[in-house]
Amino acid sequence: MTRILGIDPGVRGGLAFVIIGDGVAPRLIDALDIPVIGTGAKERVDVIALRKWIVFHRPEHALIERAQAMPKQGASSGSKYGRAVGALEAVITCCEIPLTIVEPSRWKKFHGLRGGDKEGARQLALLQFPAAHDLLRRKKDHGRAEAALIALAAVSIIKVSLSGDAAEGALPRQNSEAVT
């Protein structure tokens, strides 16, 4: 059994804790919107709440979608997004959890998703994790859904087997690793 944390970054993103292995279907154990404090331009990731949630679940590995500027994104919102991603990566690192940075196209290809179809990702996550309907029931839960799908893509990206054993040497020994 391997405990994976999936992260859809940003202040409107999501976190998902998925267990893969034991010869059974992967399970979405918990998911939440990224905790934030402040409002407006001062809104930022609540790193204390984030750390508590992560420590409670004790993931063995984390996968985060690579941050990238969005078309027509202004300097202020781009800066806010970058700060959020940096805070997420810093908390994971401080918790001493191996971190893999994943290209959006990589995890989406694994699931057969195209482009930025947030609702399509949420619907797919509901199909993959039917017992976790309450965690993904709202349309605005797309960040949680994408985080769950990112975690599930660990089967391909870091070679976590569905029987629960990581392939020999599959988990990176360094603290972070980028995957294209």
Side-chain angles (χ1 to χ4, degrees), residues 11-133:
V11 294
R12 298 287 175 261
L15 303 163
F17 179 68
V18 175
I19 293 179
I20 300 172
D22 288 342
V24 297
R27 292 173 293 161
L28 175 58
I29 303 301
D30 197 5
L32 80 153
D33 301 330
I34 295 201
V36 295
I37 55 175
T39 58
K42 295 183 180 181
E43 186 177 38
R44 61 200 179 280
V45 174
D46 183 344
V47 294
I48 302 299
L50 176 63
R51 182 188 167 281
K52 287 178 182 177
W53 189 83
I54 290 170
V55 167
F56 175 78
H57 287 295
R58 302 179 334 270
E60 297 168 54
H61 199 93
L63 287 90
I64 187 170
E65 185 179 69
R66 183 180 63 81
Q68 54 191 3
M70 303 305 281
K72 299 181 182 179
Q73 185 176 39
S76 179
S77 58
S79 176
K80 186 175 172 180
Y81 178 69
R83 285 185 61 197
V85 173
L88 292 163
E89 291 179 359
V91 170
I92 299 297
T93 301
C94 289
C95 290
E96 299 182 17
I97 299 166
L99 175 65
T100 300
I101 300 168
V102 182
E103 291 294 325
S105 60
R106 176 83 186 268
W107 72 263
K108 289 178 182 183
K109 182 178 179 182
F110 175 81
H111 292 292
L113 294 170
R114 300 278 186 253
D117 183 10
K118 303 286 188 185
E119 180 58 18
R122 191 180 73 85
Q123 291 298 323
L124 179 60
L126 284 166
L127 290 172
Q128 294 288 332
F129 304 106
H133 182 269

